[in-house]
Amino acid sequence: MTEFTLHDLQCFDAVVRAGGFQAAAAALHRSHPAVFAAVAKLERQLGLSLLDRSGYRVRLTADGRSFHHRAQSLLREVEGLRTHAAQLVMGEESELQVVIGDLCPRPQVLGMLGRFFAQCPGTRLHVHFEAVTGPWERLFDGDADLILHHVDKSDSRVEWVDLCEVPFIPVVAAGFLPSPVSRSIKPEQMREFTQCIIRDTARHSPPRDYFTIEGAHQCTVADQLMKKEIILQGLGWGHMPRFLIEEELRDGHLQSIAGRYLPGNTVELVAARRCDQPHGPVAHRLWNYIHEQAPQLRRALEAAPSPQRKKRTTNRRPKER
């Protein structure tokens, strides 16, 4: 058996992933005959039939399935080697783009970033604030080196550092509802009241809704602090991150309506970056720094009270019937 080449192996992998030679050729930016010849050569060199070409679509044979499974580790190593080489040729970055999502506890997170970048005077930090799917869009568009938000952990393009859990609680202002607060309130009972939601800052990604009540009038705001003020003033109700409303829940200015039918949710806040892209030396040091600081950040968030508020008067809207 003669040795096969990396090119032959990559063509075979592309055919398996794309489901055919034409699609694989398009993905690899090569001609159909070149990809077909590379896979045929690989089969001759191995002395194995890797693909069943008898049907409309090519399929893996039993030998092909076993071989392809073992080949994945080699292909991942090659990709990692390419990424490492790209990182070696990169100098210290002149700037880094960091996106902070709407559920982030800003004082603690900005403090962590401030301490790190004080040690990197040659790298300028650009901080962006995005909401809902905005952080993901910037990350996958290549406009962010790092995001602090929640992510889909099943996405193979992403690696993350767990920071903390953020409970979201449905709340109303005291006196907002015409009847006493009950843990058995159902979503349809809240439909007649204005629901305050965060505006998605994504520009082209499909919109996503969280906690929204279908058919309810909505009031959209830019961030959690404005949302909190809207709810406190009796202009709407909504789900809030617990760390922002601890004091208001204690003093009764806000009341939880969480229960069996409106349970709220807990979101995992993470630092995330692309694992399929190269990162420079400063980005690597920042990643390692976040790893080190994550336990301290969790403790700080668990211990931190809500910011002190001045005594306020609230304007309640008329009750809706």
Side-chain angles (χ1 to χ4, degrees), residues 205-225:
S205 301
R208 295 198 186 187
D209 294 326
Y210 294 94
F211 309 121
T212 55
I213 305 295
E214 186 177 355
H217 177 70
Q218 294 179 348
C219 168
T220 58
V221 295
D223 56 46
Q224 298 289 356
L225 290 176

Side-chain angles (χ1 to χ4, degrees), residues 28-321:
L28 294 173
H29 304 290
R30 292 183 171 87
S31 68
H32 180 283
V35 173
F36 189 91
V39 176
K41 187 176 74 168
L42 178 63
E43 289 179 309
R44 287 196 307 272
Q45 290 168 331
L46 296 173
L48 294 171
S49 177
L50 301 176
L51 295 173
D52 179 357
R53 300 170 174 81
S54 62
Y56 176 72
R57 293 174 63 87
V58 294
R59 295 180 300 170
L60 283 168
T61 63
D63 289 339
R65 188 174 299 106
S66 177
F67 181 79
H68 185 254
H69 177 73
R70 291 291 296 274
Q72 296 309 295
S73 59
L74 175 59
L75 291 170
R76 284 193 294 268
E77 284 293 324
V78 170
E79 189 58 35
L81 191 59
R82 283 204 184 99
T83 300
H84 183 62
Q87 291 167 349
L88 289 176
V89 300
M90 293 173 69
E92 293 232 333
E93 304 94 314
S94 60
E95 58 184 36
L96 283 178
Q97 310 284 339
V98 175
V99 174
I100 295 180
D102 60 277
L103 58 83
C104 231
R106 294 181 184 176
Q108 293 84 359
V109 167
L110 289 173
M112 178 179 67
L113 292 174
R115 290 189 295 275
F116 174 81
F117 280 95
Q119 307 167 33
C120 306
T123 301
R124 176 174 295 179
L125 170 64
H126 294 274
V127 178
H128 308 275
F129 297 95
E130 300 283 354
V132 192
T133 61
W136 306 337
E137 185 177 272
R138 278 192 180 265
L139 184 65
F140 293 122
D141 282 355
D143 295 332
D145 299 289
L146 179 83
I147 67 170
L148 296 146
H149 199 48
H150 60 100
V151 295
D152 178 3
K153 291 184 174 181
S154 67
D155 194 321
S156 61
R157 297 171 294 176
V158 175
E159 59 183 337
W160 67 90
V161 179
D162 287 317
L163 297 179
C164 64
E165 291 186 341
V166 180
F168 272 74
I169 305 172
V171 293
V172 297
F176 179 78
L177 297 176
S179 56
V181 168
S182 165
R183 302 300 183 187
S184 60
I185 293 176
K186 296 182 178 180
E188 53 266 29
Q189 293 174 260
M190 299 302 296
R191 188 172 289 122
E192 64 177 293
F193 304 104
T194 297
Q195 184 177 13
C196 189
I197 61 173
I198 300 290
R199 185 180 304 115
D200 195 340
T201 59
R203 297 152 192 81
H204 59 76
S205 301
R208 295 198 186 187
D209 294 326
Y210 294 94
F211 309 121
T212 55
I213 305 295
E214 186 177 355
H217 177 70
Q218 294 179 348
C219 168
T220 58
V221 295
D223 56 46
Q224 298 289 356
L225 290 176
M226 177 60 79
K227 183 176 178 180
K228 174 181 173 179
E229 199 62 35
I230 290 287
I231 297 172
L232 278 166
Q233 296 298 332
L235 298 172
W237 72 279
H239 289 72
M240 290 293 302
R242 189 176 189 100
F243 68 82
L244 273 180
I245 56 170
E246 288 281 9
E247 183 183 347
E248 289 76 13
L249 288 172
R250 284 195 302 269
D251 65 22
H253 284 89
L254 290 179
Q255 295 178 314
S256 169
I257 56 172
R260 177 181 178 184
Y261 304 104
L262 288 169
N265 192 19
T266 297
V267 178
E268 293 179 302
L269 176 66
V270 304
R273 68 178 185 177
R274 295 281 294 273
C275 60
D276 58 350
Q277 299 290 335
H279 301 280
V282 178
H284 264 302
R285 293 202 298 271
L286 174 58
W287 189 249
N288 292 334
Y289 181 78
I290 291 173
H291 265 286
E292 296 167 0
Q293 294 294 308
Q296 181 179 334
L297 179 62
R298 276 192 291 272
R299 289 193 296 270
L301 292 174
E302 289 167 359
S306 294
Q308 292 295 317
R309 295 182 298 107
K310 293 182 180 179
K311 195 171 183 180
R312 66 175 77 234
T313 57
T314 57
N315 298 318
R316 310 296 181 204
R317 68 175 177 80
K319 305 297 184 297
E320 295 183 6
R321 301 294 183 186

